Amino acid sequence: LNRMLVPSLESSMDQNKRATNALASIEVKTGIVKVQGRVLLSGQFSTASRSNYICKEITTGVDKQYNQIVTDSIANCTLAYFKVVETNALFPFETKIELDFETRAKGLDDQIQTLDLGHWIKHIRYQIDSTHRDFDFYPDFKQSDNYSFMLEFDHEIELIDRPTHIVIQNDFGNYLLQFTFQGNRLRIVSQFKSNAHMMPSEEIHQVAEIYNAMECAGQLTLTYRSLN
């Protein structure tokens, strides 16, 4: 009996995408932060994550990071509005979500506040030992994962300890952490793109380099001073 082996189709980086965008209005005197968020899930991101958005059911068989929604782990977070605005039953199963929430910056004194942004950025990352690895590394899937936040302050502020840009390009993928401050607006972009199917064990340091950079983004804290 001869059985024909048919290779399974592999989804692409452009099909497996997650885009998280947010506009945050910050009242400097009170520390209140009001956020309008939008999420797009496509391909494997949709398969692994959309059920938690649609019906609050986690997806089994995937890493728990995929079952986090935008507001999870954000301190003092109150969800004000939530709506699944689009679903698609055909591949790549695009799902679009709108959600508004409110949180609060922490006041260090009468003028200085800190805003924990690390929990806003939820790239999928793993702990990698780059010194003792004998096996090749297989990522979950090729992907494009983008976070873009626009922070608007209601009056003039000064950033304290300006965050550092990160740009990494290697065989595993591209990672960008970028900050643009102009007027009373701060734009933050954290973007990961990977087209790698497999990374050989001797190149595992390239995987660790990007995951370590993502870890830095996951600990991001913004500190600023009111100038009025």
Side-chain angles (χ1 to χ4, degrees):
L1 178 63
N2 293 324
R3 290 188 174 91
M4 181 181 298
L5 298 179
V6 179
S8 59
L9 296 177
E10 181 180 28
S11 50
S12 69
M13 179 182 69
D14 291 332
Q15 291 169 327
N16 301 324
K17 59 186 176 182
R18 176 172 62 179
T20 306
N21 301 299
L23 172 63
S25 301
I26 301 174
E27 299 176 7
V28 176
K29 291 188 181 298
T30 64
I32 294 175
V33 183
K34 296 181 179 180
V35 183
Q36 295 177 312
R38 304 293 182 265
V39 180
L40 167 67
L41 303 172
S42 178
Q44 299 294 344
F45 275 116
S46 180
T47 299
S49 304
R50 69 178 182 271
S51 65
N52 202 15
Y53 280 101
I54 295 173
C55 54
K56 297 183 179 180
E57 291 185 359
I58 65 171
T59 302
T60 60
V62 300
D63 190 275
K64 62 182 181 180
Q65 296 177 86
Y66 288 103
N67 285 308
Q68 288 190 316
I69 68 171
V70 170
T71 52
D72 285 350
S73 303
I74 296 179
N76 303 312
C77 178
T78 302
L79 189 64
Y81 170 78
F82 180 91
K83 184 178 181 180
V84 178
V85 295
E86 182 179 329
T87 60
N88 197 316
L90 299 178
F91 185 81
F93 316 116
E94 281 199 356
T95 304
K96 296 180 181 179
I97 302 105
E98 296 179 354
L99 72 168
D100 300 344
F101 63 92
E102 185 175 304
T103 184
R104 185 179 291 269
K106 181 179 180 181
L108 299 182
D109 58 29
D110 291 340
Q111 289 187 312
I112 299 178
Q113 295 179 344
T114 64
L115 181 60
D116 180 3
L117 295 173
H119 293 298
W120 296 30
I121 301 173
K122 294 180 169 67
H123 292 298
I124 308 300
R125 58 186 187 271
Y126 300 100
Q127 296 294 325
I128 297 293
D129 184 352
S130 60
T131 58
H132 303 93
R133 189 180 181 95
D134 297 323
F135 301 102
D136 298 334
F137 176 77
Y138 288 85
D140 293 338
F141 46 81
K142 299 175 181 180
Q143 62 176 271
S144 173
D145 191 18
N146 184 73
Y147 289 85
S148 180
F149 306 133
M150 177 64 76
L151 278 58
E152 295 185 342
F153 300 87
D154 64 353
H155 65 257
E156 191 174 4
I157 59 106
E158 175 189 15
L159 290 179
I160 301 173
D161 298 329
R162 285 176 175 258
T164 303
H165 299 287
I166 299 176
V167 180
I168 299 173
Q169 296 180 334
N170 60 32
D171 292 339
F172 179 48
N174 299 334
Y175 178 68
L176 170 70
L177 181 62
Q178 183 181 64
F179 306 89
T180 306
F181 187 53
Q182 186 174 16
N184 292 340
R185 292 185 171 188
L186 173 64
R187 184 169 185 258
I188 302 172
V189 173
S190 182
Q191 183 182 81
F192 173 55
K193 292 186 176 183
S194 177
N195 204 33
H197 171 69
M198 180 273 290
M199 291 295 291
S201 59
E202 60 269 22
E203 301 297 335
I204 196 63
H205 63 279
Q206 298 189 52
V207 180
E209 182 183 24
I210 286 183
Y211 282 161
N212 289 340
M214 289 181 182
E215 185 70 25
C216 292
Q219 299 174 2
L220 176 64
T221 299
L222 186 69
T223 304
Y224 55 91
R225 176 189 291 112
S226 171
L227 295 181
N228 291 331

